[in-house]
Amino acid sequence: MDENSIAIIPAAHEVTRSYDTEFKFHQDPDFRYLTGFPEPDAIAVINPKAKKPFTLYVRPRDPLMETWYGRRQGVEGAVKNYGADKAVSIDKFAADLGKILDGHDVLYYRFAVDHKLDQTILGYLTEQRVRRLKSAYPPHTIKDPTIITGEMRLHKDKEEIGLMQKAADIAAEAHILAMKSVKPGMNESQVESLMEAYMKDKGAAGVAYNSIIGGGDNATILHYVENNMPLKDGDLILIDAGAQYEGYASDITRTFPVNGKFSKAQREVYDVVLDVQRKCIDFTVVGNTHQKRQEYSIELLTEGMKQLGLLKGKTQDLIKKKAYLKYYMHGVGHWLGLDVHDAGRYYVDQQASQSRPYAPGMALTVEPGLYIPPDDKSAPAKYRGIGIRIEDDVIVTETGNINLTAAVTKDPDEIEALMAKRR
Ligand code: GLY
Ligand code: MN
Ligand code: MN
């Protein structure tokens, strides 16, 4: 942090689902990363120059509220269990704001996330600006703390990688369970609940994002999350599901035949995607940039589309015209961590012209796909309605990378052999 600065980092709040019920609480990842504190409505104040740099404002203990809505750490727990130098009731935050801000040149605070807190802070600053005679002055510069936290979160340390491996293992096993269970006639929702139950059983808080369980041409809808259709004999199923473990996300996609055997046409498309996916994993190493990897995936998949007869023409012309977008319309991967699409800038300059080079400790997904719309008259009929994505999670190392999700096979012969053993 800058010389003579202070940071205000809010926790998340509960979000109303309807009337008087809330969605399951999910802590703000930056707040979690910095404090570990699991409750809503807290605020961390970090003052690097103070003798006691870390203050947590938290919900106070309250027997009535705790009887209705659950246990609270209170100010005692915030100090004792979460290492706060000092803890204060959140009710006092607004009144303390002057004391917190005055005399610091720079405030690290992310505007436009917590609108109520924005108003509290702006309210105080507004009040001070019109009172020029005051001896103390509020910060003259406000900076987005995610410039710092994004960089911290982007580079995973050993402990984080251990947690990510665990999140990956749990999800990988859930995908294996799905391969061993899927049969024609089953509903997508049954696959979803089977996998989620498994993840929770193994210690995950739940899924890291809404699972995508798409049978047949539902797989060509990128964010298909209805997951409520029967699985048909002869169709593929695309499962994109990850686990959240100690806050960390895994993000795995596998595509396999509902009846346990790829058709010839399905296998042709699958083999193209698998070959590209393996090559893109090998490309996710020190020396390459994020943008180069995207371009590499586009080039390989455009070649694949030509090979399948989906596109015709010179590869470079097709790339220039972005012809591939019809069948491959997303990125080949993203940072992964506390968020499934994790924090950290993809460019190293403000103009977003210099793509970030990969470095040891970065966690990324590798997830090329091909999606052939069911009504695409220009595609060979045998491929229409086929959607395939294969996604693994890797950590960049000094010498290459580690595939965290290798435990769930993507080899089509191995998938068929595994499925042949199901009851
Ligand atoms: N499941 C979200 C993604 O793959 O990016
Ligand atoms: Mn992903
Ligand atoms: Mn995914």
Side-chain angles (χ1 to χ4, degrees), residues 19-40:
Y19 184 41
D20 61 352
T21 54
E22 283 90 34
F23 287 107
K24 205 175 165 71
F25 179 69
H26 185 76
Q27 188 56 286
D28 176 86
D30 265 1
F31 184 83
R32 178 173 186 142
Y33 184 86
L34 294 172
T35 71
F37 196 70
E39 293 180 18

Side-chain angles (χ1 to χ4, degrees), residues 209 212 240-241 251-253 334 340 367 389 391:
Y209 50 89
I212 298 163
D240 184 342
D251 183 7
I252 304 179
T253 308
H334 48 84
V340 64
E367 52 178 308
R389 176 165 67 255
E391 176 173 28

Side-chain angles (χ1 to χ4, degrees), residues 64-367:
L64 181 65
M65 292 302 278
E66 289 183 58
T67 298
W68 279 86
Y69 302 111
R71 297 184 179 89
R72 294 177 173 187
Q73 288 289 330
V75 288
E76 307 84 357
V79 172
K80 198 161 149 250
N81 304 322
Y82 292 90
D85 295 314
K86 198 177 135 202
V88 184
S89 169
I90 189 71
D91 309 332
K92 305 224 169 75
F93 180 79
D96 279 1
L97 198 50
K99 233 169 38 191
I100 294 169
L101 294 178
D102 284 352
H104 289 98
D105 292 326
V106 179
L107 165 65
Y108 286 95
Y109 174 69
R110 177 159 231 207
F111 273 106
V113 178
D114 184 333
H115 296 288
K116 213 169 137 223
L117 186 55
D118 290 355
Q119 289 313 313
T120 304
I121 292 173
L122 284 172
Y124 179 75
L125 294 178
T126 308
E127 206 179 287
Q128 294 314 302
R129 297 252 148 91
V130 298
R131 277 210 237 149
R132 291 213 185 92
L133 296 176
K134 236 178 141 264
S135 52
Y137 63 88
H140 53 65
T141 303
I142 298 172
K143 288 191 174 181
D144 187 340
T146 63
I147 293 165
I148 300 173
T149 55
E151 290 306 298
M152 293 168 79
R153 286 172 54 187
L154 179 57
H155 300 91
K156 274 74 179 176
D157 65 22
K158 234 177 97 189
E159 192 185 348
E160 292 183 282
I161 293 169
L163 296 174
M164 291 189 71
Q165 180 66 70
K166 181 78 181 172
D169 286 344
I170 292 171
E173 287 160 18
H175 276 264
I176 293 168
L177 178 65
M179 286 177 188
K180 286 180 173 167
S181 309
V182 162
K183 277 187 283 223
M186 221 173 148
N187 197 287
E188 291 162 350
S189 66
Q190 292 174 289
V191 183
E192 182 176 26
S193 59
L194 190 76
M195 294 180 77
E196 188 170 341
Y198 184 89
M199 291 181 201
K200 285 188 168 167
D201 189 58
K202 297 297 166 188
V207 289
Y209 50 89
N210 290 333
S211 304
I212 298 163
I213 318 269
D217 59 26
N218 292 337
T220 63
I221 303 165
L222 294 183
H223 286 166
Y224 173 78
V225 290
E226 283 107 330
N227 306 343
N228 59 5
M229 307 260 284
L231 296 167
K232 290 200 233 94
D233 198 346
D235 277 352
L236 293 172
I237 176 171
L238 181 153
I239 301 179
D240 184 342
Q244 195 99 39
Y245 181 78
E246 292 292 329
Y248 286 86
S250 52
D251 183 7
I252 304 179
T253 308
R254 290 293 183 266
T255 311
F256 54 92
V258 169
N259 65 15
K261 195 109 183 66
F262 285 93
S263 73
K264 194 163 167 289
Q266 289 164 351
R267 179 71 186 252
E268 283 161 5
V269 183
Y270 190 91
D271 285 343
V272 166
V273 177
L274 181 59
D275 181 57
V276 174
Q277 204 254 2
R278 288 194 165 127
K279 286 179 172 148
C280 287
I281 289 181
D282 292 342
F283 201 83
T284 309
V285 291
V286 172
N288 289 325
T289 66
H290 193 66
Q291 189 182 326
K292 265 204 191 136
R293 190 179 73 151
Q294 182 64 21
E295 288 163 3
Y296 184 60
S297 77
I298 287 168
E299 194 174 321
L300 292 173
L301 279 170
T302 301
E303 288 286 347
M305 290 174 212
K306 279 170 61 180
Q307 186 189 314
L308 294 168
L310 293 168
L311 297 180
K312 285 177 194 60
K314 282 209 191 96
T315 303
Q316 287 316 314
D317 293 342
L318 293 168
I319 291 172
K320 212 177 282 163
K321 285 192 302 197
K322 298 187 196 286
Y324 55 86
L325 279 180
K326 191 167 170 196
Y327 304 110
Y328 173 53
M329 58 298 274
H330 59 73
V332 72
H334 48 84
W335 311 134
L336 181 71
L338 288 171
D339 275 306
V340 64
H341 298 157
D342 207 32
R345 296 169 63 100
Y346 285 97
Y347 292 92
V348 291
D349 62 331
Q350 211 63 30
Q351 290 72 35
S353 64
Q354 268 177 281
S355 182
R356 163 113 45 190
Y358 293 141
M362 290 180 178
L364 289 123
T365 66
V366 189
E367 52 178 308

Side-chain angles (χ1 to χ4, degrees), residues 38-58:
E39 293 180 18
D41 307 336
I43 297 175
V45 175
I46 302 164
N47 182 356
K49 279 216 306 210
K51 267 212 214 77
K52 296 184 168 183
F54 173 31
T55 305
L56 261 182
Y57 285 81
V58 302

